[in-house]
Amino acid sequence: MATRAHNFFAGPAILPVPVIEAARDAAYNFADLGMSIMEISHRSKEFDQVMVEAQQDALKIMGLSADEYAVLYLGGGASTQFAMLPLNFLHTKADYVNTGEWATKAIKEAKMLGETNVVATSEDANFNYIPKDITWTPGSDYAHITTNNTIYGTQWNTMPDTGDIPLVADMSSDMLSRPLDFSKFNLIYAGAQKNLGPSGVTLIIVKKAWVEEKAKKENLTMFKYATHIKKDSMFNTPPSFPVYVVGQTLKWIMNEGGLEVIEERNIRKAKLIYDIIDAYPEYYKGAVANKEDRSLMNITWNLPTEELEAKFVADAKAKGLYGLKGHRSVGGIRASTYNACPVESVEALAAFMEEFKKNNA
Ligand SMILES: *Cc1c(COP(=O)(O)O)cnc(C)c1O
């Protein structure tokens, strides 16, 4: 295989080498069938096994039971979940915490469907922190948070206590990056292209009893969670190739030793960069206000001028370090250090940051 670049793109993003290799092989000849995984029926027993394992492995990694939770692999991206969630569960009112652009987009959809209370927001400070001490609205149908804010580089490092209000999370950019008590959530969704696989599929974990008891019965067929649960995520043609790749990523996570090992490595990687930000705060200006809100997945900072930021991105690219430009809405620099990003890539970035400062201070 050709040399791998140091890849810091925010999404679609880096995947583990064994996963890329498995995808390459399955793209040509899957399970010795003489056919690509892309060329076989989703009703074949070979694909059915791919889907079933991708569902079982996700639950195994999260420590959840199939009696309680359903695993769905649907199209439409996390953005479709912004609408599907309130379409199913917003009866009287829902609580949302606004921690960035993706949360804002989720709120916009909910508002079109019912009373939506933004119970906390960090918009006042350009989303550079995670709100604490939130008062939830009694009787809300659910409470929605975005566990990692891909654009701003903040992350919930302790999950909120919402009492008896069902907790829902958009985990698109930190899904399976750390051990969590996943049983605290009634529904979790994640677009695959940040930390799990290619674009084109969204992983949804949902409490079956919640759907049975609370989801609206009268709804468009494709937008009902119940439709997809009933058919084990095969109501219509699933995005079969992306599901295969996510399934391979799940096996990789288990082979690596599970979420504890993954988290330990993610902490080690992020520390390499945050240590430099902390060593030169006048030069590498961390974008996140409170250290406890720093993301392990998307590390954001600014340089003293926009010119230096542009030079930083260009010089990094010339050294084989890709994808460091901040999101177009905020500028600055962003290094995404997802599960699959190797320690060596982050070490190369840290060395580059030291050198760049020396040459451009
Ligand atoms: C990327 C992202 C989304 C949007 O995902 P799509 O799959 O493109 O719809 C939503 N939420 C978060 C937190 C993201 O990082």
Side-chain angles (χ1 to χ4, degrees):
M1 192 176 249
T3 320
R4 303 277 293 162
H6 296 303
N7 180 350
F8 300 99
F9 279 114
I14 189 165
L15 291 168
V17 171
V19 172
I20 295 290
E21 286 172 342
R24 176 196 60 193
D25 295 346
Y28 189 72
N29 180 13
F30 177 61
D32 260 332
L33 292 169
M35 294 180 275
S36 165
I37 178 88
M38 291 177 271
E39 298 175 303
I40 62 169
S41 168
H42 60 294
R43 307 288 176 202
S44 64
K45 75 171 178 7
E46 287 81 7
F47 183 77
D48 191 62
Q49 192 181 337
V50 169
M51 177 59 92
V52 167
E53 285 181 19
Q55 291 170 324
Q56 289 173 347
D57 291 344
L59 292 174
K60 197 187 286 178
I61 291 169
M62 290 189 285
L64 297 175
S65 115
D67 295 334
E68 237 191 311
Y69 284 87
V71 179
L72 305 176
Y73 289 99
L74 305 182
S79 300
T80 297
Q81 294 307 306
F82 296 163
M84 198 160 156
L85 171 70
L87 270 171
N88 281 266
F89 292 110
L90 180 43
H91 298 275
T92 56
K93 57 189 184 234
D95 283 354
Y96 279 74
V97 181
N98 191 0
T99 50
E101 243 178 77
W102 297 117
T104 303
K105 287 184 169 153
I107 290 162
K108 178 170 174 246
E109 300 306 291
K111 279 194 168 152
M112 282 191 264
L113 292 162
E115 185 185 325
T116 301
N117 298 309
V118 180
V119 290
T121 176
S122 47
E123 197 173 3
D124 55 317
N126 199 30
F127 298 116
N128 72 3
Y129 68 99
I130 298 290
K132 312 273 158 36
D133 302 320
I134 297 165
T135 307
W136 307 93
T137 314
S140 280
D141 292 315
Y142 60 85
H144 180 282
I145 63 168
T146 311
T147 50
N148 185 72
N149 298 285
T150 328
I151 294 172
Y152 297 92
T154 58
Q155 188 173 26
W156 291 72
N157 287 316
T158 39
M159 293 304 130
D161 181 1
T162 55
D164 54 11
I165 303 172
L167 181 58
V168 173
D170 174 358
M171 290 198 190
S172 291
S173 51
D174 67 348
M175 187 63 177
L176 307 185
S177 66
R178 55 181 170 170
L180 284 178
D181 181 357
F182 292 98
S183 70
K184 279 199 169 143
F185 298 86
N186 273 39
L187 190 149
I188 295 166
Y189 61 92
Q193 70 274 19
K194 309 290 168 51
N195 208 23
L196 297 174
S199 59
V201 66
T202 310
L203 169 58
I204 297 142
I205 316 286
V206 59
K207 228 177 218 171
K208 291 197 275 195
W210 195 40
V211 175
E212 276 155 32
E213 288 158 22
K214 299 284 185 183
K216 291 178 195 168
K217 302 281 183 260
E218 293 298 312
N219 228 332
L220 296 166
T221 310
M222 273 299 281
F223 294 90
K224 278 163 48 168
Y225 291 109
T227 299
H228 300 286
I229 294 172
K230 202 167 148 208
K231 296 289 183 185
D232 293 320
S233 201
M234 298 251 249
F235 171 74
N236 69 324
T237 319
S240 50
F241 186 55
V243 170
Y244 173 78
V245 182
V246 171
Q248 291 301 306
T249 305
L250 299 176
K251 292 190 188 301
W252 174 79
I253 290 172
M254 294 190 291
N255 281 339
E256 292 295 295
L259 296 184
E260 280 81 10
V261 173
I262 295 281
E263 180 189 46
E264 183 275 322
R265 198 186 298 154
N266 287 335
I267 291 172
R268 199 144 44 88
K269 288 185 298 187
K271 187 174 185 299
L272 288 170
I273 305 303
Y274 285 125
D275 279 353
I276 295 181
I277 289 173
D278 290 338
Y280 313 116
E282 301 301 317
Y283 194 73
Y284 292 126
K285 302 159 193 270
V288 177
N290 308 321
K291 284 189 186 177
E292 78 265 20
D293 299 334
R294 284 174 166 179
S295 171
L296 295 182
M297 299 276 97
N298 310 99
I299 306 169
T300 51
W301 69 92
N302 288 87
L303 273 78
T305 65
E306 277 183 33
E307 289 68 34
L308 275 172
E309 286 168 352
K311 189 170 194 301
F312 182 93
V313 172
D315 288 8
K317 197 169 162 186
K319 297 229 149 173
L321 301 151
Y322 291 89
L324 288 164
K325 196 170 183 318
H327 190 269
R328 61 193 184 283
S329 63
V330 294
I333 311 293
R334 170 175 57 180
S336 299
T337 53
Y338 296 123
N339 289 354
C341 180
V343 178
E344 299 78 58
S345 286
V346 184
E347 284 169 347
L349 174 58
F352 172 75
M353 288 172 76
E354 292 280 4
E355 185 195 299
F356 186 87
K357 184 184 173 291
K358 222 171 277 163
N359 297 337
N360 296 278

